Amino acid sequence: MAGALFIGLMSGTSLDGVDVVLVEFTPSKPPRLVATHFLAYPSDLRKQVLTLQHPNPNELEANCQISNQLAQLYASAVNQLLSNNQIAASEIVAIGCHGQTVRHRPELGFTLQ
């Protein structure tokens, strides 16, 4: 019996890019790493995310626009991973993505991804 395929995405605070993993989960076996992919952040997107780390005018709208750009980047990274490994999107059970941290203020009791 073949296992179930899942994708995980992570983009860390370094803002260098998106790491993507494809993992197979099979009952009674440890998870198996099938493939990985890295997609670098475009420099303009990196700069925009950095601006959200500090209070700025109109940051709510900027956050929404940047979120849309990040979603497109995440989709591109997933599609490239699938293409590079000749795997159909229909074979993927689920995709997990924590989101990009844009403001981390533990001293105030919040973090925003």
Side-chain angles (χ1 to χ4, degrees):
M1 172 183 168
L5 296 175
F6 292 81
I7 290 178
L9 294 112
M10 192 211 141
S11 52
T13 55
S14 66
L15 298 173
D16 60 342
V18 180
D19 290 295
V20 188
V21 296
L22 176 63
V23 180
E24 179 182 44
F25 290 90
T26 304
S28 305
K29 291 184 181 180
R32 181 177 74 88
L33 180 62
V34 177
T36 64
H37 182 67
F38 175 78
L39 180 59
Y41 268 30
S43 61
D44 61 326
L45 179 57
R46 183 178 189 276
K47 289 176 189 173
Q48 291 176 51
V49 174
L50 284 171
T51 64
L52 290 177
Q53 293 181 353
H54 306 285
N56 287 293
N58 207 18
E59 61 187 18
L60 181 58
E61 183 168 332
N63 183 60
C64 293
Q65 291 176 354
I66 291 167
S67 292
N68 289 340
Q69 291 178 57
L70 286 169
Q72 291 296 320
L73 187 71
Y74 295 153
S76 292
V78 167
N79 287 330
Q80 288 174 21
L81 174 100
L82 293 174
S83 176
N84 291 347
N85 294 279
Q86 299 174 349
I87 296 172
S90 60
E91 295 181 56
I92 306 303
V93 174
I95 298 173
C97 179
H98 67 76
Q100 176 64 56
T101 300
V102 294
R103 185 97 40 102
H104 184 66
R105 298 291 305 268
E107 74 280 7
L108 298 177
F110 76 87
T111 185
L112 178 65
Q113 287 75 29

